[in-house]
Amino acid sequence: MDNLLPEISPTGNPQPLYPLLAPSPLSPFTITNNTTPKLSGLCTLDFDAMDTMMSVTAIDCFTVFAPFLANVVCCPQFEATLVILIGQSSKVTKKLSLNSTLAKHCLSDFDKILMGQGANNSLQQICSVGPSNLTEASCPVKDVEGFEKMVNSSKLLSKCGKIDLVNECCQQVCQNAISEAAKDLASASYQLDAMGLRRPSDISTRVVNDCKSIVLRWLASKLEPIRAKEVLRGLANCNLNKVCPLVLPNVRPVARGCGDGISNRSSCCSAMESYVSHLQRQSFLTNLQALNCAASLGKRLQKENITNNVYNLCHITLQDFSLQESGCLLPSLPSDATFDHSSGVSFLCDLNDHIPAPWPSMSHAPASSCNRTVKIPALPAAASGQR
């Protein structure tokens, strides 16, 4: 893994980041006769009409980087492309889902096409996507006619036809409209009670979530693919920026090194640096995810009776939580990797400066990026990235 990690100076202006320069044998983004996949011939999705987006997905999920870009770039793009494919096909089929047999063939063909263009060969496992994700699952409505009878489609389209990528995550204009539409669809599976009423509490979360997939496919059928991608990736980033995707190891070694009121600063920072080095081998993060991870780790350390700000003491920055020794934070807004034959694969990094990781308050909840009254020190602006 060390061989994959480029050296980035912590000083100076942000420079272009080329984590891997693909050698000529690994330049698979033009399908040749040798790499043309053998498809099932049974899938009804029109992959050819989406060839440009398929190429973007293949690059976002490029073979060696897919596991490290999975939660921020690869999987959101992989899932959005599937939603758009099904949505666009519904213009002909009038169906917003595939049956289980068709789903298996289509997902297999989708994988083969992406692999033929250089994508990782384990994307279903990396992104936790299976054939059932292409069906209606437990949602009782799966056809366009039934959808438009139950949902205020003009209202949904007005709220989600174009979203404000900066403010949607906090204002939730489109997200609320999707939830409302999904609940309308989910209610179709419930009979009226003795009073002739359906109670919202009767609708399970699982059914509503499955119906959200149907709503997204309907939206994708009404928008141009590039606009649909912008909406879907924006909504995905709202969800992924709320969490810390890292697996945080046991903090006991840090607690031992930093115990007794940090009596030994050298021992404490050595333990902290060793801990952080394990985090740096997991995944690239967005700037907001790094903020969440700093808060989560800080809370764990506080539960081990470490009350002093060890981030400040040991000069821990937000970049330290992301992959690579010098840190690379991806922008909080959606972005894609790019490829060209001269420079290989590159992607956008938010490299403003080494931003100090904020130590969580003992008496307050972690600062939210949606709370305008909370001052998050030097948090990178959403569009401050440099390629």
Side-chain angles (χ1 to χ4, degrees):
M1 185 178 295
D2 288 335
N3 293 331
L4 293 176
L5 305 181
E7 293 184 4
I8 303 177
S9 170
T11 60
N13 293 326
Q15 295 298 314
L17 173 64
Y18 302 114
L20 180 70
L21 301 182
S24 54
L26 295 181
S27 299
F29 297 97
T30 300
I31 296 180
T32 66
N33 290 334
N34 293 329
T35 59
T36 300
K38 183 178 180 180
L39 304 182
S40 67
L42 300 172
C43 180
T44 56
L45 301 180
D46 190 351
F47 296 115
D48 290 338
M50 294 276 289
D51 59 345
T52 300
M53 191 169 296
M54 295 283 285
S55 295
V56 171
T57 306
I59 298 169
D60 281 350
C61 297
F62 180 68
T63 173
V64 296
F65 284 118
F68 306 115
L69 291 172
N71 89 87
V72 179
V73 177
C74 170
C75 294
Q77 177 64 20
F78 183 81
E79 292 162 10
T81 305
L82 284 171
V83 169
I84 296 169
L85 279 165
I86 297 174
Q88 291 292 311
S89 78
S90 73
K91 295 178 179 179
V92 176
T93 66
K94 307 302 179 184
K95 300 291 184 183
L96 293 166
S97 69
L98 306 181
N99 65 45
S100 57
T101 301
L102 200 56
K104 290 178 182 177
H105 292 304
C106 289
L107 187 56
S108 175
D109 289 351
F110 183 63
D111 269 352
K112 289 176 182 176
I113 293 171
L114 294 181
M115 284 188 283
Q117 298 185 50
N120 191 285
N121 62 4
S122 301
L123 292 180
Q124 290 187 44
Q125 291 73 33
I126 291 172
C127 298
S128 299
V129 172
S132 63
N133 295 101
L134 280 64
T135 69
E136 71 276 13
S138 64
C139 187
V141 179
K142 60 182 179 180
D143 60 278
V144 174
E145 182 181 4
F147 181 99
E148 293 179 351
K149 283 181 178 179
M150 297 198 67
V151 171
N152 185 338
S153 53
S154 60
K155 176 183 176 182
L156 177 62
L157 201 55
S158 70
K159 301 291 185 181
C160 296
K162 180 176 176 60
I163 66 172
D164 183 333
L165 289 175
V166 175
N167 294 315
E168 170 62 29
C169 297
C170 297
Q171 297 175 356
Q172 300 186 10
V173 174
C174 177
Q175 293 169 84
N176 289 338
I178 289 172
S179 294
E180 181 181 336
K183 289 175 182 176
D184 289 341
L185 297 180
S187 67
S189 64
Y190 290 88
Q191 300 296 320
L192 297 179
D193 62 19
M195 300 293 292
L197 301 172
R198 289 190 183 97
R199 294 187 299 275
S201 59
D202 289 337
I203 304 172
S204 75
T205 302
R206 178 176 63 87
V207 175
V208 172
N209 286 338
D210 289 340
C211 287
K212 284 182 180 180
S213 297
I214 299 295
V215 176
L216 293 177
R217 293 170 195 166
W218 181 87
L219 276 172
S221 74
K222 298 300 179 183
L223 303 174
E224 289 298 315
I226 190 66
R227 178 62 60 81
K229 176 199 167 181
E230 179 181 295
V231 171
L232 293 169
R233 290 289 304 275
L235 295 175
N237 270 46
C238 288
N239 292 324
L240 64 88
N241 279 324
K242 293 177 183 177
V243 300
C244 171
L246 299 181
V247 176
L248 299 178
N250 195 308
V251 297
R252 293 286 173 80
V254 179
R256 286 194 294 269
C258 300
D260 299 325
I262 311 184
S263 57
N264 187 327
R265 174 175 176 173
S266 176
S267 174
C268 175
C269 290
S270 177
M272 192 68 198
E273 289 165 8
S274 175
Y275 186 95
V276 168
S277 71
H278 290 287
L279 303 182
Q280 292 173 344
R281 296 178 180 275
Q282 291 189 35
S283 174
F284 287 107
L285 305 180
T286 69
N287 44 37
L288 293 178
Q289 285 180 323
L291 190 70
N292 296 330
C293 291
S296 296
L297 177 57
K299 286 295 185 184
R300 288 194 181 193
L301 292 172
Q302 288 172 351
K303 288 180 180 178
E304 296 291 332
N305 297 319
I306 299 175
T307 56
N308 291 323
N309 185 345
V310 295
Y311 293 163
N312 183 57
L313 181 73
C314 302
H315 306 293
I316 302 298
T317 67
L318 288 181
Q319 282 103 325
D320 287 327
F321 288 86
S322 193
L323 192 72
Q324 302 175 52
E325 291 179 5
S326 296
C328 169
L329 296 178
L330 302 179
S332 57
L333 296 183
S335 62
D336 292 301
T338 59
F339 173 84
D340 66 66
H341 290 282
S342 60
S343 61
V345 175
S346 63
F347 47 85
L348 204 64
C349 283
D350 196 333
L351 295 173
N352 286 355
D353 277 314
H354 278 296
I355 301 157
W359 184 250
S361 168
M362 295 284 287
S363 56
H364 298 93
S368 167
S369 60
C370 290
N371 188 344
R372 300 308 176 100
T373 65
V374 174
K375 301 297 183 183
I376 301 175
L379 185 66
S384 63
Q386 297 288 329
R387 186 164 298 281

